[in-house]
Amino acid sequence: MSLLAFHDAIPGYLEDRDDQLWVRLAVYGLQPDALYVRIEPDNEEYLVPMVADGHQGTWHFYTALIDKSQHIEQTEYLFKLVWSQGSSWLGAAGVEPHMPRNIHMYRYSHDRRLPTWSGAQVFYQVFPERFAQGDAHLKPQPGEYRYLNRTDIVIKQWGDEPDPRTGGFEFFGGDLIGVYNKLDYLQHRLGVTALYLNPVFESQSSHKYDTVDYFNVDPHFGGNRALQQLIEGIHLRGMRVVLDAVINHTSALHPWFQAALAGDARQRAKYVFGVDNEYASWKNHHSLPTLDFANADVQADMITGPDSVIRHWLQAPYNIDGWRMDVIHMIGEGPGAKNNAHYVRTLRAVIKAENSEALLLGEHFFEASSWLQGDQEDCAMNYFGFGHPVRAFLAGLDIAHHPIELSATQFARWLREARARISFDHQLLQFNQLDSHDTPRFLTMVQNDRALLQVAIGFLMTYIGTPCLYYGTEIGLVGAQDPDCRRCFPWDERQWDNELLDFCQRWIGYRKAFTALSAGALIDLYAEQDAMVFARISDHEQCLIVLNRGAACELQFELNLPGSDAPWQRVDADGDLQMIGLDCQVGAPDKSLQLWSRQISANDSVAART
């Protein structure tokens, strides 16, 4: 039975009432004889009847109060609609003819210590050693030290290309003073509102993922004072900053590990040693020995102690706004990730105790749904639910750089199934990137096709989740795999793609101007061959996005959204949009992404009738 229905946790459709949730469902067309909300508050099924709650045209609304689950960290629910000739179910992945799997139930997290500020940001990732030089005297000097006490560091001029043979120990001279000096560019010219910094703590490498001292910023970045000045400057502008924490492993040069090698039993117990001084390390890189979180000292020093690494930088005078946790899924006891969930929950508790609005962002290259069920992370680096499918659809590459063919239908399904496994609140916070310090540049992946990069950037700014641009994307920086993706930012504007910069400025502006893009639900409308259409809707605003990766075409689909029948206004579109009844006809130029919007009047707002 064909069914058009809508529910999501936007205002007007869900309200937290202490021990209960008030939920609303919108149904179009032929109305069911009975409606129910299916819940499992004690692991047993209950069907809660829904009651009629008005209509708008042929959209009818139904409401119910459901009990929150007491045994898990979130309430899970589905909608069942029954007619005399059959029934249908509505879950987070859409309409199904039978009861959906539990992974596709709607979810509402009880822990409300979610950093709602994060979803309203446009982040910018900075790799400090390659972004900008503020003090040339801080740059490492030739012969200053030997990397891991065995290889001379390599000193290069700004703008030279990275060399894969020396990538981890070659230096160009970027520092935190340079980042501070570019805040005007970032905030006022580009328009971003928050920064995510790759590791800044003392380390011998250029990437700083092998920490030697967790309590001191690397002197070649300017030391602790430079970080404090940067954070203060960011906060004075109303911006936010997230730092990168690497606590799964240390550098082999960390004093703990050096003492362990020298026979110190207490320090040795912090790591996972076998016979003959063999030890566990991150992915068998012996320069990165793995910490054993079964050890009480490791737990206290890294997370739980009053002076722990995690607490220290959340406190004054630094007051960072959150942590991005490197390989968070690997933290655990012994050589593997035993009891990982326990330590991530502990990490959450400590972070929220210091600042209930601080962000806990986990790095996962693959699916992270199990860490996003309300008791662990606020969000993940959304490689699986955004980066992988976008790369596959637009660049024809999977995460292993193997060829892949993906139609728009398959692309939309991948995105829908990924977001359906987590709550709406977590969907809004998911950290979406096209590329990063660990991947080739997106422009390189699409073989320098700027039009496809623009489609990707527009999609980044309109899809559900928190957008983050990798430094240099906005001016056309290219680069293959690490370390080539970590090239220096060229501050000579004659080297910039200014048309691309203008495009980024414009779409960042749309992201900030339309709250439906940062806080609205997502509704799939069309997905075939090369084109996809979706809407973002809030209680007072709706946006329509048309994406086309291929040749120019004409699309026709049903456009019927609850809440408004106002005409659509062109925001950024070259094609024409015509409505004939509920049928929408829109022209999609080749390799394009287009945006329309409309407002919902106070009389039409679902929230106004709550």
Side-chain angles (χ1 to χ4, degrees):
M1 180 173 294
S2 177
L3 170 64
L4 186 59
F6 170 76
H7 169 81
D8 224 324
I10 61 174
Y13 286 90
L14 185 141
E15 183 179 312
D16 191 326
R17 297 185 178 178
D18 297 325
D19 294 332
Q20 293 182 309
L21 295 178
W22 174 90
V23 295
R24 173 180 261 133
L25 177 69
V27 182
Y28 177 79
L30 178 64
Q31 298 300 299
D33 299 316
L35 295 93
Y36 304 92
V37 187
R38 181 189 184 277
I39 57 175
E40 297 180 352
D42 53 8
N43 283 342
E44 182 58 76
E45 175 188 72
Y46 297 83
L47 293 176
V48 180
M50 303 191 77
V51 298
D53 187 42
H55 66 92
Q56 179 195 44
T58 51
W59 279 97
H60 289 250
F61 301 95
Y62 301 87
T63 64
L65 279 173
I66 59 175
D67 292 333
K68 288 184 180 178
S69 297
Q70 301 299 316
H71 61 293
I72 55 176
E73 298 298 323
Q74 56 190 1
T75 296
E76 301 175 345
Y77 58 98
L78 295 165
F79 296 97
K80 184 177 185 180
L81 300 90
V82 181
W83 291 265
S84 59
Q85 300 301 314
S87 59
S88 293
W89 293 79
L90 179 67
V95 175
E96 298 190 44
H98 55 79
M99 187 173 71
R101 298 171 61 195
N102 283 0
I103 60 172
H104 289 157
M105 295 182 80
Y106 288 104
R107 290 165 165 75
Y108 179 79
S109 294
H110 303 157
D111 186 342
R112 306 314 295 161
R113 296 174 300 174
L114 290 167
T116 54
W117 59 266
S118 182
Q121 307 303 309
V122 178
F123 271 86
Y124 189 86
Q125 180 186 350
V126 172
F127 193 84
E129 218 280 320
R130 308 291 158 80
F131 182 63
Q133 184 181 78
D135 184 347
H137 296 96
L138 297 176
K139 183 177 180 179
Q141 298 302 305
E144 182 176 337
Y145 64 88
R146 291 173 62 81
Y147 178 64
L148 299 176
N149 296 326
R150 62 173 180 256
T151 306
D152 288 334
I153 59 173
V154 176
I155 309 302
K156 290 192 169 183
Q157 296 302 308
W158 195 264
D160 288 349
E161 291 191 6
D163 187 332
R165 296 169 299 179
T166 57
F169 53 91
E170 58 183 15
F171 296 88
F172 295 79
D175 54 44
L176 296 183
I177 295 90
V179 181
Y180 179 87
N181 292 341
K182 301 302 181 182
L183 289 179
D184 270 348
Y185 163 80
L186 293 169
Q187 182 180 34
H188 298 304
R189 188 163 182 185
L190 182 56
V192 299
T193 62
L195 299 186
Y196 151 46
L197 303 181
N198 287 108
V200 298
F201 305 121
E202 189 172 328
S203 160
Q204 283 199 342
S205 70
S206 55
H207 53 73
K208 309 301 179 194
Y209 281 96
D210 50 348
T211 311
V212 173
D213 185 343
Y214 290 92
F215 293 97
N216 284 293
V217 173
D218 196 283
H220 296 111
F221 283 172
N224 291 9
R225 178 57 191 149
L227 179 62
Q228 183 180 342
Q229 179 189 41
L230 174 60
I231 294 172
E232 289 172 351
I234 289 170
H235 285 164
L236 282 173
R237 293 166 179 266
M239 299 173 69
R240 304 278 188 156
V241 60
V242 171
L243 294 189
D244 208 330
V246 188
I247 66 172
N248 173 73
H249 49 267
T250 70
S251 167
L253 296 182
H254 192 286
W256 295 349
F257 192 71
Q258 289 296 300
L261 292 177
D264 186 320
R266 181 167 184 173
Q267 302 306 324
R268 189 180 180 89
K270 294 180 178 179
Y271 297 89
V272 184
F273 276 93
V275 298
D276 299 327
N277 264 357
E278 289 295 319
Y279 55 88
S281 58
W282 180 76
K283 298 187 78 169
N284 296 318
H285 291 281
H286 293 303
S287 62
L288 303 173
T290 300
L291 288 167
D292 185 356
F293 274 79
N295 180 274
D297 287 341
V298 170
Q299 296 175 33
D301 290 338
M302 290 296 171
I303 303 176
T304 58
D307 301 315
S308 71
V309 171
I310 293 302
R311 293 185 192 275
H312 179 78
W313 301 98
L314 288 164
Q315 299 171 348
Y318 305 102
N319 300 310
I320 67 171
D321 297 294
W323 283 111
R324 181 266 194 189
M325 303 301 302
D326 185 62
V327 294
I328 190 171
H329 52 284
M330 300 181 78
I331 296 170
E333 300 170 5
K338 184 179 179 181
N339 288 330
N340 172 260
H342 166 75
Y343 294 106
V344 179
R345 292 187 188 104
T346 301
L347 184 63
R348 177 179 185 80
V350 167
I351 289 174
K352 299 302 181 180
E354 293 295 333
N355 177 1
S356 62
E357 294 189 347
L359 179 71
L360 172 53
L361 164 63
E363 183 206 22
H364 303 265
F365 244 77
F366 302 98
E367 186 179 356
S369 301
S370 62
W371 287 269
L372 297 167
Q373 299 304 316
D375 60 340
Q376 297 182 56
E377 299 168 25
D378 294 318
C379 56
M381 297 190 76
N382 198 16
Y383 285 107
F384 181 78
F386 182 85
H388 292 195
V390 171
R391 174 192 294 200
F393 184 62
L394 295 180
L397 295 171
D398 70 11
I399 193 62
H401 312 289
H402 296 147
I404 181 173
E405 292 185 10
L406 207 65
S407 69
T409 306
Q410 294 163 331
F411 177 52
R413 183 186 303 122
W414 186 343
L415 293 167
R416 181 170 59 253
E417 290 183 352
R419 65 179 181 263
R421 300 184 181 198
I422 61 177
S423 76
F424 177 72
D425 289 329
H426 287 93
Q427 292 176 40
L428 293 176
L429 299 183
Q430 283 289 75
F431 207 76
N432 295 336
Q433 290 185 285
L434 301 174
D435 46 20
S436 73
H437 62 290
D438 284 328
T439 73
R441 293 274 179 175
F442 200 84
L443 185 54
T444 297
M445 288 191 280
V446 294
Q447 302 179 54
N448 295 315
D449 188 330
R450 187 177 67 184
L452 280 180
L453 175 61
Q454 289 180 337
V455 170
I457 291 169
F459 185 61
L460 175 67
M461 296 301 161
T462 54
Y463 189 68
I464 193 167
T466 303
C468 179
L469 278 178
Y470 186 39
Y471 80 97
T473 294
E474 73 275 16
I475 50 90
L477 202 56
V478 296
Q481 296 187 55
D482 168 24
D484 196 41
C485 59
R486 304 172 182 180
R487 297 187 187 187
C488 298
F489 192 109
W491 288 104
D492 180 351
E493 295 192 26
R494 293 172 296 181
Q495 300 179 48
W496 294 7
D497 183 335
N498 284 292
E499 185 176 337
L500 181 59
L501 176 59
D502 291 343
F503 181 90
C504 288
Q505 293 167 329
R506 193 164 73 249
W507 284 85
I508 289 172
Y510 301 149
R511 176 73 184 201
K512 295 190 294 186
F514 295 101
T515 55
L517 295 181
S518 60
L522 189 148
I523 299 178
D524 291 317
L525 296 170
Y526 176 94
E528 292 184 14
Q529 298 178 338
D530 293 325
M532 182 175 80
V533 184
F534 62 97
R536 300 291 308 278
I537 73 170
S538 68
D539 60 325
H540 66 280
E541 184 178 76
Q542 297 182 350
C543 290
L544 182 70
I545 299 95
V546 179
L547 181 156
N548 179 26
R549 70 175 177 187
C553 58
E554 294 291 325
L555 307 179
Q556 184 169 334
F557 54 93
E558 184 176 349
L559 178 52
N560 183 14
L561 303 174
S564 179
D565 56 6
W568 291 96
Q569 304 298 317
R570 185 190 308 268
V571 178
D572 199 312
D574 294 326
D576 293 322
L577 184 152
Q578 292 184 329
M579 294 296 301
I580 304 175
L582 296 178
D583 288 332
C584 178
Q585 296 180 353
V586 60
D590 64 300
K591 297 179 182 178
S592 63
L593 190 133
Q594 303 180 88
L595 176 64
W596 284 265
S597 73
R598 65 183 182 185
Q599 299 297 309
I600 298 176
S601 69
N603 291 334
D604 289 339
S605 172
V606 176
R609 297 195 296 273
T610 300

